[in-house]
Amino acid sequence: MQINMQIKKIGIPLCITVILAAIFMLIYTPTYAINDDLMIEGILSGSYFKVYPYTYYFSAPLGLLISVLYSISIGNIPWFGLFIIGANICSIYAIEYVAVNRVCEGIKKLIPIFISIIMILCLQFQGFVLPHYTVVAASLGAAGLLLFITTRNEKQFVAPIIFFIMTYLVRENVFFMLVPFIGIAFIYLLVVNKNYSLKKYFLYAISFIVIAGAMILLNHLMGNSAKWNNYKQFNKIRTDVYDYTGVPDDDEALAYYLSKDIDESDIDLIKSYNITLASQETIKDELEVIAKYAYDKKNETGFKTRLKEAIIAYKYRLFNETTDAPYNYILLALYAIVLLLAVSSKNLSRLIPIVLLGVGGRMIWIYLFFAGRYPERVTMSLYIMESLLLMGIIIRHITNDGMVQKTTIIQKAAIIGVGVAFILGSVQAVSKLDVEYSKVYNTNSSDDMLYSYMYDHLEDFYFLDVYATVSRTKPVLEASRYSPKNYKMQGASLISHECENYMLLGGWMVAHPLYNDKLDQILSNAGENTVCGALLANNSFHIVVKDGVGADPDELSRVVGAKARVVDSIEAGDETFYVYSFCE
């Protein structure tokens, strides 16, 4: 009898999860949202240059495990893609497990299962179909929060701790965003559940801190070499310029750059993102000058003014901006329901963690707007984590902490409110996903023609203008055809390894140790020290630019030192790619 109960507890949510995942994958082919994940996959799999465990953004311990799987496996198995899909499935399973097993028997089981499914459609469907490792990390963390706050005894703390640690291993920055929510959930459980043993409660808390600390230490020790520290410093400056400050180019800014021995042609090159063409000895200093100027100009506004602008911007995004819909409206609805339940419970101590959550969450948002660091993948991550934490609090209320089976009128109204909010939200979220998926599909269909062209010309090497293929991704479970297990260089190989015969001229990979290794190998085989030198000396080296986007041919000619000649063009749907040579 006990075994049958355990099978039902595990098997029912597992069946629901498998069915949901299968439906999602039948309707859409899961495809990376942006090319960050594609670069991580290339590093770990060896298609970029060689199998390499360190990616910087993805944790070193997890990267090491996946890279080992690529090294020892038979066949061309997409291990990174399998991990991404598996992580999303684990998040969905955690939600279904709570819906099936931690909602009181007085509520018919079909109701929480139905609400959990539409909640997944609203909050996690897009992250499953168009995954980004940042949002994957947030989904794991959010699932951990839901498991944690719906626990009924200390033994159930093990699963959420595993989810929290996995969040760190996937994306460190997301984990640090998650920590305040974990703290608030911790306080909430102390307030509402008097049956916990405080000794065991704090023992688990200390265990989590120790494990998390060990992972953080291990990750930083594994990436603590001189070349990694150089890369971290360079990438921080590059990120400041390209992701946060931009490149100011008004007359005052240009005059300032000129006073620092940076001429307008250098600024044009930096604006085009193709910084690998620049002198590697000076580019870091030039980026530092630009970042400093931009930050100094921003600070002239004054702290109070910037804070006020951040609050106004966030307020607009929360109440009016369609960019965040339906997630912003879902969040507001959940807060309204939670406050209603807390007040109706006549236990005002329940309001303490809710107020902390409301204030703490707003502080995180306002900081992001204040610092100018709020790309959609970050805002979506926050919505998922905060929404699932609120759902956990609602579950504690409507089940009376799992102790009472009957529900009050207000609790029933709350269930209806949650259901209506997620039904309306899921309709809008699915519609939004359909638009986003079409954009990604169309972009990939166009760019794939360029990549097929380069694959068919393996005797040549191509440097890609960043904006030519900045949005190109690929299906998550599609194995790379450049994998060392199925790729053989043809003709006069420009590099000694079996890997991609192209490199982006910019992006977060620039100055990465593996990027430098590949670039050094290419230039060494060409008998040159710089990219411009290789382009001038060898007619097998090319730059690829998308027509009307990115670098201007005249600008490239000025930087390289010879006129850019079109040697080929690739018609890709509505797009045209031009292949330039500089060797006379």
Side-chain angles (χ1 to χ4, degrees):
M1 186 69 176
Q2 189 68 27
I3 295 176
N4 289 337
M5 287 294 293
Q6 288 298 321
I7 291 174
K8 287 182 179 179
K9 287 177 67 175
I10 297 171
I12 293 175
L14 181 61
C15 288
I16 297 171
T17 301
V18 170
I19 291 171
L20 279 177
I23 292 172
F24 292 169
M25 296 175 74
L26 284 172
I27 298 174
Y28 297 100
T29 300
T31 302
Y32 294 126
I34 60 177
N35 66 3
D36 287 359
D37 300 79
L38 200 60
M39 297 301 294
I40 293 172
E41 181 188 85
I43 293 169
L44 298 177
S45 68
S47 68
Y48 189 81
F49 185 51
K50 57 186 175 184
V51 175
Y52 201 76
Y54 309 131
T55 67
Y56 180 64
Y57 287 107
F58 204 64
S59 76
L62 191 54
L64 177 62
L65 173 62
I66 295 176
S67 66
V68 168
L69 289 173
Y70 275 110
S71 298
I72 65 175
S73 62
I74 299 173
N76 197 19
I77 301 173
W79 289 110
F80 181 74
L82 287 171
F83 171 79
I84 293 295
I85 294 294
N88 277 324
I89 287 175
C90 287
S91 300
I92 293 173
Y93 175 78
I95 294 171
E96 292 304 330
Y97 184 87
V98 170
V100 172
N101 297 300
R102 294 188 180 175
V103 179
C104 137
E105 294 297 334
I107 303 169
K108 293 181 180 179
K109 286 296 181 184
L110 289 178
I111 296 175
I113 290 173
F114 172 74
I115 291 176
S116 68
I117 290 172
I118 60 173
M119 184 173 73
I120 288 166
L121 284 173
C122 182
L123 296 176
Q124 294 190 298
F125 187 28
Q126 180 166 340
F128 188 97
V129 174
L130 294 174
H132 182 278
Y133 72 109
T134 297
V135 180
V136 171
S139 295
L140 288 168
L145 287 171
L146 184 63
L147 287 169
F148 182 52
I149 206 161
T150 57
T151 54
R152 294 176 183 171
N153 60 68
E154 300 88 343
K155 292 181 181 179
Q156 295 177 342
F157 287 161
V158 175
I161 287 175
I162 292 173
F163 274 84
F164 296 152
I165 297 302
M166 285 304 300
T167 299
Y168 174 78
L169 292 174
V170 176
R171 186 75 198 267
E172 184 179 58
N173 289 348
V174 174
F175 174 79
F176 291 132
M177 282 200 307
L178 178 70
V179 167
F181 296 120
I182 297 174
I184 291 167
F186 183 90
I187 294 170
Y188 186 84
L189 290 182
L190 283 177
V191 170
V192 302
N193 199 322
K194 309 299 183 183
N195 298 319
Y196 287 149
S197 163
L198 288 179
K199 182 179 179 180
K200 291 182 179 180
Y201 196 76
F202 282 99
L203 181 61
Y204 276 104
I206 292 170
S207 299
F208 166 66
I209 293 171
V210 170
I211 295 170
M215 288 293 102
I216 293 170
L217 179 62
L218 177 61
N219 186 40
H220 285 271
L221 286 176
M222 291 176 71
N224 194 32
S225 63
K227 62 181 181 180
W228 267 104
N229 289 329
N230 290 335
Y231 170 68
K232 291 173 186 176
Q233 293 172 13
F234 180 87
N235 193 51
K236 180 186 181 305
I237 297 166
R238 184 207 62 81
T239 301
D240 284 344
V241 171
Y242 287 114
D243 292 352
Y244 306 128
T245 69
V247 184
D249 58 355
D250 53 54
D251 291 340
E252 181 184 346
L254 293 175
Y256 177 81
Y257 302 147
L258 189 60
S259 72
K260 300 294 182 179
D261 297 324
I262 306 175
D263 60 33
E264 194 167 347
S265 61
D266 291 334
I267 297 300
D268 289 339
L269 179 61
I270 291 170
K271 285 169 61 179
S272 76
Y273 219 119
N274 298 314
I275 55 178
T276 304
L277 291 174
S279 167
Q280 298 305 296
E281 287 74 27
T282 62
I283 187 64
K284 180 182 176 182
D285 294 337
E286 292 177 346
L287 290 173
E288 280 182 330
V289 168
I290 293 169
K292 183 180 184 304
Y293 176 83
Y295 277 123
D296 287 346
K297 294 297 290 184
K298 180 185 289 188
N299 291 334
E300 286 178 3
T301 307
F303 178 84
K304 289 184 179 179
T305 302
R306 291 171 57 204
L307 180 60
K308 181 179 178 181
E309 290 174 350
I311 293 172
I312 292 172
Y314 173 60
K315 181 181 176 183
Y316 180 81
R317 284 281 291 260
L318 183 61
F319 293 101
N320 305 101
E321 180 59 70
T322 56
T323 300
D324 292 331
Y327 316 113
N328 50 344
Y329 303 128
I330 291 291
L331 193 66
L332 291 169
L334 292 179
Y335 266 108
I337 292 168
V338 165
L339 288 172
L340 174 65
L341 289 170
V343 172
S344 68
S345 70
K346 298 180 181 179
N347 181 359
L348 296 183
S349 62
R350 287 177 178 265
L351 288 173
I352 296 173
I354 296 169
V355 171
L356 287 175
L357 177 60
V359 174
R362 282 349 90 211
M363 289 177 66
I364 295 173
W365 275 95
I366 291 170
Y367 166 76
L368 292 174
F369 279 90
F370 181 82
R373 304 186 176 198
Y374 50 92
E376 185 178 356
R377 55 189 178 273
V378 174
T379 58
M380 187 64 205
S381 296
L382 276 172
Y383 278 124
I384 292 172
M385 292 189 291
E386 195 168 0
S387 296
L388 260 66
L389 179 54
L390 287 168
M391 276 302 301
I393 293 173
I394 291 171
I395 289 171
R396 298 295 304 220
H397 276 287
I398 64 176
T399 62
N400 292 315
D401 301 327
M403 303 301 293
V404 181
Q405 291 187 350
K406 291 185 178 180
T407 54
T408 67
I409 293 175
I410 291 179
Q411 289 171 336
K412 290 177 180 177
I415 296 169
I416 294 171
V418 169
V420 170
F422 278 118
I423 288 172
L424 296 175
S426 63
V427 171
Q428 192 170 354
V430 172
S431 176
K432 186 175 182 179
L433 166 64
D434 197 56
V435 173
E436 293 299 317
Y437 185 84
S438 295
K439 290 179 182 177
V440 171
Y441 180 83
N442 291 334
T443 297
N444 287 345
S445 297
S446 171
D447 288 8
D448 280 348
M449 297 184 186
L450 166 62
Y451 285 82
S452 293
Y453 172 88
M454 293 187 296
Y455 189 81
D456 291 337
H457 294 77
L458 298 175
E459 68 282 359
D460 290 345
F461 196 87
Y462 301 89
F463 291 104
L464 306 182
D465 170 71
V466 173
Y467 290 104
T469 62
V470 69
S471 299
R472 188 253 182 180
T473 62
K474 77 173 186 63
V476 174
L477 296 180
E478 178 184 285
S480 173
R481 59 183 175 184
Y482 284 97
S483 167
K485 298 188 185 307
N486 71 347
Y487 173 77
K488 298 296 180 184
M489 218 17 141
Q490 300 174 4
S493 174
L494 291 169
I495 50 179
S496 61
H497 294 259
E498 301 162 345
C499 63
E500 300 165 345
N501 61 329
Y502 58 86
M503 291 180 74
L504 287 171
L505 286 168
W508 64 265
M509 275 293 289
V510 172
H512 185 286
L514 187 60
Y515 186 96
N516 288 343
D517 287 348
K518 181 172 180 176
L519 186 60
D520 289 346
Q521 177 73 72
I522 295 164
L523 297 180
S524 175
N525 286 2
E528 297 292 332
N529 296 319
T530 66
V531 174
C532 290
L535 288 164
L536 287 170
N538 194 321
N539 59 14
S540 294
F541 283 85
H542 310 284
I543 290 180
V544 179
V545 177
K546 183 185 289 187
D547 185 30
V549 180
D552 182 84
D554 292 335
E555 176 191 325
L556 292 175
S557 299
R558 184 170 60 252
V559 171
V560 176
K563 185 173 178 57
R565 297 183 300 108
V566 177
V567 295
D568 211 341
S569 62
I570 303 105
E571 298 295 331
D574 295 332
E575 307 288 354
T576 302
F577 296 94
Y578 290 110
V579 181
Y580 291 101
S581 178
F582 299 84
C583 181
E584 299 295 342

